[in-house]
Amino acid sequence: MTEHFRVAIVGSGPGGMSAAGRAAQSKLSHVLLEKTDHLSDTIYKYQKGKLVMATPDILPLRSPMDFKLGIREDILGTWDKQTKELGVNLRYNAEVTKITGRKGAFELTVNGKDKVTAEYVVLAIGLQGNLRKLGVPGENDPRIQYQLDDPDEYAEETIVVVGAGDAAIENAVALAKQNKVIMINRSAEFARCKQGNLDLITKSLEKGVLECMYKSSPTKVEAGPRLKFTLKTADGEAVVECDRVIARLGALAPRAFVESCGIQFPSKDPTALPELSAHYESNVPGLYVIGALAGYPLIKQAMNQGYEVVEFIQGNECEPADEPLLKEKFKGALLDRYGSIPGLLAEMQKTVPVFSGLTTLQLREVLLESNVHTPKGGGEIFHRNDYSNTFYTIFAGEVGIEIDPDHPDEMVRLGPGEFFGEMGLLAGRRRSATVRATQDCVLIETSRREMIKLIKSVPKVRDVVDAAAIERQIRSYIAPNLSKDDMAAVLESAKLRSFKANEVIFNEGDPGDGVFLIRTGSCTVSRRIGGREIVMNYVPAGHYVGEMALVRDMPRAATVKAAIETEAVWLDGAGFRMLMDHLPQLRSQIERRIGAIITQTEDISQRPEAGNLIQFLVQEGGKEAADMLLIDEALCVRCDNCEKACAETHGGISRLDREAGPTYATIHVPTSCRHCEHPHCMADCPPDALHKTKDGEVFIDEQTCIGCGNCERNCPYGVIHMAYDPPKKPGLLSWLLFGFGHGPGEDKIASHASHEGKKRAVKCDMCKDIEGGAACVRSCPTGAAIRVHPEQFFALTTHSPQ
Amino acid sequence: MHESILVYRGFRYLKLSLWMVAIAVVAYIVHQPTVGPPNGGTALGYTLGTIGVLLIVWLAWFGVRKRRYGLGKVKLEDWLSAHVYLGLGLIVVATLHTGFQFGWNVHTLAYSLMIFVIVSGIFGIIVYVRFPRLMTENRRGSTQRDLLAQIAELNAKAREISVTLGDDIHNEVMASADKLALGGGALKQLSGRDRNCPVQHAVKRVGELVLGLPKSDAEKGRTVLSLLARKLELVERVRRDLRYKALMDIWLYVHVPVTFALLASLAAHIVSVFFYW
């Protein structure tokens, strides 16, 4: 018998479940089809006790089901209860294998045999797809698992983990605490994982915590008292006996199934998502797509979509959940002028080229994360040398950029549709110019995180930003007063070039064919002296290299190498010579620079150890640091007053390990934050708890840190650690007279913490809230501890401490 | 950039101290007491005494200031540089205050304690200038924990190989691990040596015993010997490290307590001068 419903909802994740809940609430005949025997399989498979985030925080939830930040078990429990209470018509173990028909008469095949018909179908199957199996004889043995709930459940076993992705690495390392673990990696290295996990597995393998068989793939599994796992390796066949196999091989994307339903994808790109109407309807009328498959991977967004899609199916218009928030942002004259938010957004996409490549939904999301400013004419927006890194777009009005601080009246003016602030964003350096409103303006200020997301995911945004950025960078770093025509000629030859870490930008002796303006990253300049490569200098972003060969008409005098991933604007020789001819100041500035370089080169070639020191500092983080703590061990009396001061000024836990860390000659780089320009720790912080201050300090917001440990894993310098709150210190007298607890400066790593309460990440914040600055440096009695900017490396080598 | 306390800010505090000393000396030469020889009871004597007391209290305050982490805008290095130079200047100021009158009394006791504290401080300056560099060179980039871990690793390796080389060698290897003591009492740390070092003993004994091994075991024997020799080098390095650290710490165990004794005797000196003179 075929059952018939108004709406069939496929998949019981947050989106599908919320849609079914709304349908039940609206007394709409519906069915929710779930292929497993529980709700929301993706979340169900999270590790036990995992904290589930409810981002974006400001987005209101619109769903008959509840959802807020909490642990996996509580959230799933609430949903189970609420689907029952609402009377959701839920079928477990019902895998939809085929969808045919059209609006009003869809036919869904369940488990390959049963049929269900529906007028509308909502596809909410997510992106997880079906887990990939081993694909060898014996793959169905119950001791072969394709997921791992709780790694602590197993002990004293030999476990084979197959795979080389993030899940495999995380599982393998977690299991290795109590078990003997052997990883099976099909390739010769770990190339598909996040940097943090690559470091994790590399360290674990070095320490011998677990083993890994490279270039190996399974051929069969034989059951027995223990599993006999046969592998094909580079050296022939190998057999591993084990108690358990955990295979983490990723999933088969659901795309083939979605396409079989008639839904089209805009491109062959595996990350492409189906194109949808503003009502989430696909190109097949009556067939709707919501959730991760519709491009909305966050739980709250998916739940809101579930609610909305059922309203749309019932013919109800419903304004998006974020509408009131946007109205609040744009309230006043602006909203009145365009009548409604959709009208305003349409106008914005027309005037602002950066936003023109976004879908309406993407634009809404960007605006939610942005601030609207309406400065009056003359007001300052930001100041030269500020360390803020937000991105501004001009919706109305005009701003002026004071490129040359000595001539504040000479401003470059920008009008509606243009943007500014991208240099701080791209280079991670201080603001290169002061910007003020020259008329009353409407400006949209977007966060760095949101902008970087857009630049990475929307090619149009990247192109628009890059094109304008190249011109601005030339203006700001080389030729501020270039006329429009001359600039056009220079831009003609300008090209964006990117270099990997340690890649050579040009070699000593190469013909000098152009100048490189370093726009992000940094590089080292070195020469071969007496058969050895000696580092001469370090060049951070915002400077150019290669001008010497052009001016002197000689081959390259030195080798320039990218210290980290670096992007440079390349200007060809003719273009750059033209610049020098037009701008006598530039020529004399370059002549002066060359003079300084020659002296410096002569100096360093007499003292190769100074070059080695620069090289050492660059390697130890100088290449991306805004600020480094350096200890001169010829002065350091090992009193640890720096650590004590750090702990005493930061809630009892030192963020600095003086003794650990590398040393060259007597210069020691302790384990302490480098305050990177593009901080690795900030790359993957789920609650966005890591921030950069105006002055460039990277700090953790203790209130929002959830203690997930991502930053600790992602930091290449090991300067972040996880800590519990330390016990309260006793009063001075009760410590002095009765020996209660720890006194001033004692127990600076909080070894007596209670291990209760929240564990959170701690790191150096450069004493941003403490008057007088870094306590470690101020508390060093002998002047051994200093903080330096990478620009000072050369000066450091010329200075003798005694 | 890096600057040691001695050259700090272009010798700012040395200059200050020299000025203080110069003024005191000139005043001492110029001043003619109305009664008797120069002493602490004259107008100049009282002035110098007051300066001396204030200096001593201020110098002692360094111990408190050092523990006030994160407070105050002045760097601790400023304080220490001033502490060193003004402390040295105090010798002159206080000596002139005495008018070179010494005796077996509480006044001279205070003076002697002060000199003792300053001399221990001079020792401190010397070790602070000399040992940090030696310590770094001795460590060769490793931390103490690294060195100990390397020793433990060599222990395990040597034990594993020596199992098959007969009881004599094996026992030496075991003893070189079990009886090894690093650190210990103050004198032992300061000496940086262990007369009965089991590792040294083992290297010597195993060196002899290896000669008696059958040919098939000779290679293994040599490996054990080289492991022990490497361990001996590490052990000596750790002892040197501990010795430097001990020398850098030990003088404070004199400097600080004697300062308290000085403050007490100074109080006695002042009280007795004003009430019983």
Side-chain angles (χ1 to χ4, degrees):
Chain A
M1 190 192 89
T2 309
E3 286 178 285
H4 181 76
F5 302 94
R6 278 287 299 279
V7 193
I9 300 152
V10 186
S12 74
M17 177 196 66
S18 171
R22 181 62 187 156
Q25 223 175 20
S26 322
K27 311 269 182 266
L28 200 66
S29 102
H30 70 280
V31 64
L32 174 59
L33 302 164
E34 167 55 48
K35 83 177 168 198
T36 67
D37 61 357
H38 45 257
L39 281 177
S40 200
D41 192 48
T42 305
I43 298 173
Y44 185 86
K45 283 180 182 155
Y46 281 177
Q47 280 199 2
K48 253 186 199 168
K50 181 178 162 104
L51 192 72
V52 183
M53 309 295 305
T55 46
D57 293 335
I58 47 166
L59 186 70
L61 177 70
R62 186 155 59 178
S63 166
M65 268 78 173
D66 289 331
F67 171 59
K68 56 177 193 295
L69 179 126
I71 60 166
R72 164 190 173 270
E73 286 74 10
D74 294 343
I75 288 167
L76 291 174
T78 312
W79 288 348
D80 276 334
K81 195 168 126 237
Q82 289 180 328
T83 35
K84 278 201 197 88
E85 283 168 2
L86 286 162
V88 170
N89 181 24
L90 171 59
R91 307 262 163 95
Y92 284 127
N93 303 314
E95 182 175 5
V96 174
T97 47
K98 201 166 147 196
I99 302 174
T100 54
R102 58 195 159 74
K103 188 172 179 173
F106 283 107
E107 190 181 79
L108 293 81
T109 309
V110 177
N111 297 335
K113 48 186 198 300
D114 305 334
K115 305 274 184 202
V116 168
T117 57
E119 289 166 40
Y120 298 93
V121 174
V122 176
L123 215 49
I125 56 176
L127 282 175
Q128 185 181 284
N130 292 317
L131 291 173
R132 223 187 278 267
K133 294 204 163 180
L134 279 179
V136 297
E139 66 176 14
N140 290 323
D141 191 288
R143 285 168 291 178
I144 302 177
Q145 292 165 222
Y146 295 95
Q147 67 182 77
L148 177 66
D149 276 345
D150 181 8
D152 295 336
E153 215 174 291
Y154 310 106
E156 315 266 310
E157 290 189 3
T158 301
I159 302 178
V160 171
V161 177
V162 190
D166 291 307
I169 293 172
E170 283 167 21
N171 287 173
V173 174
L175 284 168
K177 275 187 212 153
Q178 301 188 41
N179 303 281
K180 179 178 159 64
V181 173
I182 303 159
M183 280 193 96
I184 308 292
N185 184 349
R186 200 163 14 145
S187 63
E189 56 193 24
F190 289 88
R192 287 190 294 115
C193 56
K194 288 190 274 196
Q195 187 61 38
N197 278 329
L198 179 62
D199 296 342
L200 180 72
I201 189 70
T202 315
K203 263 187 233 159
S204 306
L205 286 169
E206 267 171 23
K207 279 196 212 147
V209 176
L210 48 85
E211 293 169 41
C212 179
M213 297 172 72
Y214 295 98
K215 288 192 171 174
S216 307
S217 47
T219 51
K220 66 177 177 212
V221 187
E222 289 160 89
R226 299 183 86 194
L227 286 169
K228 258 176 86 182
F229 198 72
T230 313
L231 300 161
K232 203 177 96 197
T233 71
D235 312 322
E237 204 178 73
V239 178
V240 179
E241 285 207 4
C242 60
D243 303 299
R244 193 172 303 281
V245 173
I246 311 278
R248 301 306 303 258
L249 304 165
L252 285 167
R255 178 162 174 165
F257 168 71
V258 177
E259 281 180 325
S260 77
C261 303
I263 297 177
Q264 290 161 2
F265 285 75
S267 77
K268 283 210 157 68
D269 183 355
T271 58
L273 299 168
E275 267 172 23
L276 303 173
S277 75
H279 286 176
Y280 315 126
E281 195 170 8
S282 69
N283 61 300
V284 181
L287 181 51
Y288 293 78
V289 180
I290 59 170
L293 185 59
Y296 290 86
L298 299 174
I299 296 172
K300 209 195 276 179
Q301 291 173 330
M303 290 178 75
N304 286 355
Q305 283 184 320
Y307 175 97
E308 287 157 17
V309 79
V310 170
E311 293 303 304
F312 294 145
I313 287 171
Q314 295 184 90
N316 303 332
E317 259 319 309
C318 102
E319 58 177 31
D322 54 20
E323 191 88 356
L325 294 171
L326 288 180
K327 277 188 178 155
E328 181 61 31
K329 266 192 204 284
F330 289 99
K331 74 177 173 204
L334 209 54
L335 193 56
D336 297 344
R337 195 181 321 156
Y338 297 102
S340 64
I341 290 291
L344 178 71
L345 297 187
E347 182 59 31
M348 202 173 276
Q349 289 199 297
K350 224 162 54 191
T351 17
V352 183
V354 187
F355 292 154
S356 64
L358 306 185
T359 65
T360 325
L361 292 172
Q362 279 172 324
L363 179 58
R364 295 186 85 102
E365 209 181 306
V366 171
L367 292 178
L368 272 184
E369 296 284 334
S370 304
N371 292 315
V372 180
H373 300 281
T374 50
K376 298 268 172 258
E380 185 177 290
I381 296 154
F382 55 70
H383 201 266
R384 187 185 168 84
N385 285 340
D386 276 2
Y387 236 125
S388 54
N389 51 15
T390 50
F391 179 90
Y392 289 84
T393 19
I394 308 171
F395 184 44
E398 187 195 76
V399 302
I401 304 178
E402 302 173 11
I403 288 177
D404 188 348
D406 300 329
H407 302 95
D409 297 333
E410 289 170 18
M411 286 198 276
V412 175
R413 287 164 199 274
L414 300 178
E418 296 194 86
F419 58 85
F420 57 95
E422 79 291 343
M423 296 221 271
L425 178 83
L426 294 174
R429 305 239 167 203
R430 294 162 185 272
R431 296 287 194 196
S432 57
T434 301
V435 178
R436 54 179 81 246
T438 48
Q439 302 171 358
D440 294 358
C441 289
V442 178
L443 304 176
I444 297 170
E445 181 193 13
T446 310
S447 69
R448 170 183 189 267
R449 178 170 139 120
E450 197 59 33
M451 251 353 261
I452 286 184
K453 203 164 90 187
L454 281 187
I455 288 175
K456 281 193 177 148
S457 59
V458 186
K460 176 101 195 267
V461 174
R462 190 187 170 95
D463 295 346
V464 173
V465 173
D466 270 349
I470 291 178
E471 178 179 342
R472 306 248 179 97
Q473 279 151 349
I474 294 175
R475 251 186 216 296
S476 156
Y477 299 133
I478 302 182
N481 308 315
L482 202 60
S483 72
K484 269 225 149 53
D485 292 342
D486 290 345
M487 178 56 90
V490 174
L491 282 177
E492 197 120 304
S493 78
K495 273 195 204 97
L496 211 51
R497 304 260 310 264
S498 28
F499 301 91
K500 292 207 176 65
N502 296 322
E503 194 176 334
V504 171
I505 298 177
F506 54 74
N507 269 310
E508 190 174 343
D510 283 357
D513 56 349
V515 168
F516 293 84
L517 172 58
I518 309 295
R519 132 183 156 130
T520 66
S522 63
C523 50
T524 54
V525 181
S526 58
R527 280 186 66 183
R528 288 196 79 79
I529 297 173
R532 278 191 58 219
E533 192 159 310
I534 307 285
V535 171
M536 297 282 153
N537 208 354
Y538 163 83
V539 183
H543 296 256
Y544 47 91
V545 288
E547 77 286 6
M548 192 136 110
L550 288 182
V551 173
R552 304 208 295 185
D553 239 340
M554 280 164 63
R556 300 288 189 198
T559 298
V560 174
K561 218 189 247 179
I564 44 165
E565 217 170 276
T566 296
E567 256 185 9
V569 179
W570 180 78
L571 305 169
D572 84 342
F576 195 76
R577 283 206 182 90
M578 185 213 63
L579 273 179
M580 287 194 296
D581 293 342
H582 277 61
L583 302 164
Q585 291 153 281
L586 178 66
R587 178 171 279 279
S588 62
Q589 184 197 340
I590 288 178
E591 293 286 359
R592 261 201 309 276
R593 245 177 68 125
I594 291 178
I597 292 173
I598 292 174
T599 339
Q600 194 169 323
T601 309
E602 280 312 309
D603 178 12
I604 291 233
S605 56
Q606 301 304 315
R607 304 182 295 130
E609 72 286 353
N612 294 346
L613 178 60
I614 296 179
Q615 169 78 13
F616 164 75
L617 293 172
V618 167
Q619 224 139 50
E620 290 308 326
K623 57 194 173 189
E624 51 187 334
D627 183 286
M628 272 169 101
L629 177 63
L630 299 182
I631 292 179
D632 187 338
E633 292 203 329
L635 298 179
C636 173
V637 296
R638 280 75 167 171
C639 65
D640 280 339
N641 223 35
C642 46
E643 283 185 18
K644 291 172 191 168
C646 185
E648 290 293 323
T649 48
H650 291 87
I653 302 166
S654 174
R655 284 102 210 273
L656 150 73
D657 188 340
R658 179 195 55 79
E659 197 185 357
T663 308
Y664 178 80
T666 60
I667 299 293
H668 176 64
V669 185
T671 302
S672 168
C673 183
R674 272 76 161 161
H675 300 278
C676 300
E677 266 139 15
H678 294 282
H680 303 270
C681 53
M682 277 169 78
D684 189 15
C685 175
D688 202 11
L690 279 142
H691 306 282
K692 226 173 167 182
T693 66
K694 236 170 134 179
D695 295 321
E697 295 113 14
V698 181
F699 69 97
I700 300 174
D701 178 355
E702 291 179 2
Q703 298 307 315
T704 35
C705 173
I706 54 168
C708 68
N710 278 0
C711 52
E712 184 192 25
R713 281 190 289 281
N714 285 334
C715 173
Y717 307 108
V719 303
I720 304 182
H721 66 271
M722 310 302 294
Y724 291 99
D725 284 336
K728 217 173 138 12
K729 286 205 173 174
L732 189 69
L733 278 185
S734 46
W735 165 67
L736 207 61
L737 299 179
F738 306 110
F740 287 140
H742 293 277
E746 291 185 347
D747 197 33
K748 52 197 188 299
I749 53 161
S751 57
H752 289 73
S754 61
H755 291 246
E756 276 167 21
K758 203 169 97 174
K759 202 174 185 183
R760 56 187 167 79
V762 293
K763 73 176 279 299
C764 162
D765 61 0
M766 276 278 270
C767 297
K768 65 182 178 65
D769 300 324
I770 297 166
E771 205 191 347
C776 50
V777 172
R778 281 193 296 138
S779 305
C780 177
T782 59
I786 57 167
R787 288 193 166 268
V788 295
H789 301 297
E791 284 86 345
Q792 299 168 306
F793 285 170
F794 181 75
L796 185 79
T797 67
T798 59
H799 197 95
S800 163
Q802 297 285 342
Chain B
M1 300 294 122
H2 288 120
E3 254 185 334
S4 86
I5 47 165
L6 298 181
V7 304
Y8 191 62
R9 293 203 182 192
F11 299 97
R12 170 192 279 199
Y13 299 102
L14 172 63
K15 288 175 189 162
L16 181 69
S17 179
L18 286 176
W19 272 110
M20 181 181 77
V21 167
I23 293 169
V25 169
V26 170
Y28 187 83
I29 295 168
V30 171
H31 183 72
Q32 291 298 328
T34 39
V35 210
N39 65 70
T42 66
L44 179 67
Y46 278 128
T47 312
L48 289 174
T50 310
I51 295 174
V53 167
L54 291 176
L55 266 178
I56 288 172
V57 171
W58 179 82
L59 289 166
W61 184 252
F62 181 79
V64 177
R65 174 60 184 77
K66 189 184 132 183
R67 288 171 179 78
R68 298 194 143 186
Y69 307 103
L71 284 177
K73 280 194 181 153
V74 181
K75 282 177 71 180
L76 195 60
E77 192 179 5
D78 270 286
W79 276 80
L80 185 58
S81 185
H83 182 87
V84 164
Y85 284 122
L86 294 178
L88 290 172
L90 179 64
I91 302 179
V92 177
V93 172
T95 309
L96 296 180
H97 166 69
T98 64
F100 300 95
Q101 293 186 347
F102 300 108
W104 294 105
N105 53 36
V106 70
H107 317 296
T108 303
L109 173 67
Y111 179 81
S112 326
L113 287 173
M114 183 201 76
I115 294 297
F116 196 72
V117 170
I118 296 176
V119 168
S120 69
I122 293 172
F123 178 82
I125 299 171
I126 294 169
V127 294
Y128 273 17
V129 167
R130 186 171 152 71
F131 289 120
R133 187 183 288 273
L134 291 177
M135 206 163 168
T136 303
E137 283 164 5
N138 180 49
R139 287 241 186 121
R140 281 177 231 155
S142 307
T143 61
Q144 201 182 81
R145 202 182 310 161
D146 293 342
L147 295 175
L148 295 178
Q150 285 174 42
I151 292 175
E153 206 174 301
L154 290 175
N155 277 344
K157 266 192 204 157
R159 196 159 47 214
E160 204 175 308
I161 300 174
S162 65
V163 167
T164 56
L165 296 181
D167 282 352
D168 286 346
I169 292 185
H170 188 62
N171 288 342
E172 279 299 335
V173 169
M174 292 302 284
S176 80
D178 297 341
K179 290 189 187 155
L180 174 64
L182 293 167
L187 286 178
K188 208 158 199 186
Q189 284 193 37
L190 287 170
S191 77
R193 243 173 279 157
D194 182 359
R195 242 181 274 257
N196 303 315
C197 175
V199 187
Q200 206 164 16
H201 189 261
V203 170
K204 206 170 144 227
R205 275 291 290 150
V206 173
E208 291 159 6
L209 289 166
V210 163
L211 300 176
L213 282 175
K215 231 185 186 165
S216 55
D217 280 342
E219 191 52 46
K220 274 188 180 175
R222 278 193 288 273
T223 310
V224 170
L225 188 60
S226 79
L227 289 175
L228 287 172
R230 214 180 310 159
K231 187 162 94 172
L232 183 59
E233 194 275 330
L234 285 173
V235 164
E236 280 170 353
R237 229 168 354 131
V238 172
R239 288 210 175 102
R240 262 198 304 276
D241 189 56
L242 290 169
R243 173 166 179 265
Y244 294 145
K245 187 79 179 63
L247 279 164
M248 283 208 292
D249 289 344
I250 190 81
W251 67 278
L252 276 172
Y253 286 89
V254 177
H255 194 67
V256 176
V258 180
T259 298
F260 279 99
L262 163 62
L263 289 174
S265 67
L266 193 62
H269 160 63
I270 294 167
V271 169
S272 63
V273 162
F274 280 105
F275 289 91
Y276 302 104
W277 196 252

